Amino acid sequence: YSHESGLNLTVGYLNADDANSDVSYTDVGVTYTGVDGLTVGYGQGDVEQTTNTKSDESTMFAKYAIGSMTVGIQISEKDNETGNDYESTGIGISYQVNDDLTVSYGTNTLEKSGSNDQEAQALGISYTMGSLGIALSMNTVDNIANSATNDRDAYQLGLSFAF
């Protein structure tokens, strides 16, 4: 369902059959775009990929663009009937300095019950000059897969030419 006020509602239903799922379930999502530059949303559903692996999953987000800046946040949760629960929080911001230069920063934390938090950060810069594009990103992730001994840093440089 979508309404000209900016409200959009989506509902999904899966009937139980042994080929796809052992349970019937319903997913629900709603987004709102009725304020200039703002988008907010929420979604919730049940998931069972194999027998006895049911989880309740939800996510909510907000994104706001004003002038040359865009800011966003997303918070997600996965509660498992058996096993570990997860919570994720991501925040991002981008700023278009001028027609040619954009700078962005993002961070994400993944919490797993009983484990170390996985934490990631990224900084990106892109510059366009005529048909030439240059992009640089610097990334760091600590406790990958929630393991205290698994950290990585990465750097990426990209060049593009339009003909």
Side-chain angles (χ1 to χ4, degrees):
Y1 171 77
S2 184
H3 191 268
E4 64 186 52
S5 68
L7 188 63
N8 183 22
L9 176 66
T10 305
V11 177
Y13 175 77
L14 177 65
N15 191 31
D17 65 22
D18 285 331
N20 295 307
S21 176
D22 292 331
V23 297
S24 297
Y25 66 85
T26 303
D27 296 329
V28 178
V30 62
T31 58
Y32 177 71
T33 58
V35 175
D36 192 32
L38 177 67
T39 303
V40 294
Y42 175 79
Q44 186 276 329
D46 299 323
V47 176
E48 185 176 38
Q49 293 176 340
T50 60
T51 302
N52 297 323
T53 61
K54 186 177 177 187
S55 63
D56 297 320
E57 299 182 17
S58 63
T59 189
M60 63 181 149
F61 71 92
K63 180 179 79 168
Y64 186 63
I66 183 168
S68 298
M69 185 176 299
T70 301
V71 178
I73 183 169
Q74 182 170 4
I75 300 169
S76 301
E77 189 173 291
K78 179 179 182 180
D79 295 325
N80 291 306
E81 268 187 5
T82 58
N84 294 309
D85 295 335
Y86 294 87
E87 291 183 15
S88 173
T89 303
I91 300 171
I93 185 169
S94 68
Y95 181 70
Q96 187 168 353
V97 178
N98 56 41
D99 288 343
D100 301 323
L101 180 64
T102 302
V103 179
S104 62
Y105 176 77
T107 181
N108 183 275
T109 301
L110 177 62
E111 300 175 33
K112 177 182 176 183
S113 59
S115 294
N116 297 298
D117 292 351
Q118 175 179 294
E119 298 175 341
Q121 298 86 34
L123 174 66
I125 300 169
S126 66
Y127 183 77
T128 304
M129 183 173 54
S131 63
L132 171 66
I134 301 171
L136 172 67
S137 66
M138 298 166 281
N139 308 277
T140 181
V141 183
D142 295 329
N143 306 325
I144 297 171
N146 305 98
S147 172
T149 59
N150 197 357
D151 301 337
R152 293 194 191 137
D153 294 325
Y155 305 91
Q156 183 175 4
L157 175 64
L159 298 173
S160 62
F161 302 94
F163 295 100

